[in-house]
Amino acid sequence: MPNDKLELESFLPYRLYHIADLVSREFARIYKDRLGLTRPEWRVLAGLGQHGEMTAKAIGEQSAMHKTKVSRAVAELERRRWLTRTPDEADRRVEHLTLTKAGGAVYAEMVPLAKAFERTLLERMHETERNALMVALTGLESAYRKNRADFDAFDRIMSRPGGQTPSTDDSV
């Protein structure tokens, strides 16, 4: 009899999601307590701080956030006067977002907090584990990009009658 149970504790997508969620929640406590930011607001602020100027669509793609979450975060950061919107000259539907001086100051305060959090997290691991983790993550990202067509084909197969349609939820 084939093994017909899925053990979540050893299922790679679940393990990746679970550890990412744990780390993300722990880091969220820092930027929420210190800066009063939600996760989407933090992601928008971080993207703009890193790139200088972005569209809402680009922020959504970089941060893997749905456009409504990006829109709400942008509206809140604009309300706080931490970012500005500039309409695109060629396409008025597109807005270019940039941090204001106040938003840049918040970003500057956030960067050392984020780096200290990452450093503390990685220091809990042995150097060989850290190196292995970075190599493994790079390998997973590369394999996923190379094999995206395989995942798309799997989605098409599972969407056929008789197959199970995958969930549209963005988490495992």
Side-chain angles (χ1 to χ4, degrees):
M1 180 172 111
N3 186 355
D4 60 349
K5 289 189 179 183
L6 178 65
E7 294 180 20
L8 285 178
E9 298 79 14
S10 61
F11 182 55
L12 182 61
Y14 177 79
R15 291 183 72 192
L16 290 170
Y17 165 77
H18 183 70
I19 192 63
D21 189 56
L22 289 173
V23 171
S24 186
R25 286 176 189 269
E26 189 65 28
F27 182 53
R29 289 182 3 172
I30 293 169
Y31 58 76
K32 182 177 176 151
D33 291 349
R34 294 273 186 98
L35 306 170
L37 294 167
T38 64
R39 189 179 303 190
E41 291 163 3
W42 175 82
R43 288 179 180 177
V44 170
L45 191 74
L48 292 175
Q50 178 185 358
H51 296 288
E53 180 182 292
M54 298 177 79
T55 63
K57 182 178 179 181
I59 290 170
E61 290 169 356
Q62 179 198 34
S63 63
M65 280 194 298
H66 190 272
K67 62 184 177 180
T68 57
K69 286 189 178 191
V70 173
S71 179
R72 287 184 192 128
V74 166
E76 177 57 23
L77 295 175
E78 183 181 39
R79 186 192 69 74
R80 294 183 190 185
R81 295 191 172 106
W82 289 356
L83 69 74
T84 59
R85 304 176 195 231
T86 305
D88 187 272
E89 294 293 325
D91 185 348
R92 291 292 190 184
R93 296 171 298 175
V94 176
E95 295 177 320
H96 298 276
L97 309 172
T98 55
L99 293 179
T100 62
K101 188 174 181 179
V106 173
Y107 177 75
E109 184 179 345
M110 183 180 70
V111 168
L113 295 173
K115 288 185 176 187
F117 178 81
E118 179 185 44
R119 189 172 44 255
T120 300
L121 183 64
L122 291 173
E123 285 173 351
R124 295 175 183 169
M125 300 170 68
H126 188 275
E127 182 180 3
T128 56
E129 293 171 322
R130 288 192 302 268
N131 293 338
L133 175 63
M134 295 307 160
V135 168
L137 290 173
T138 300
L140 274 171
E141 290 166 345
S142 177
Y144 184 79
R145 281 192 302 275
K146 283 184 207 171
N147 297 302
R148 182 62 210 160
D150 293 341
F151 290 110
D152 290 341
F154 177 76
D155 286 347
R156 284 191 300 276
I157 290 168
M158 293 305 290
S159 296
R160 292 182 187 152
Q164 296 179 3
T165 304
S167 170
T168 57
D169 186 5
D170 63 349
S171 59
V172 176

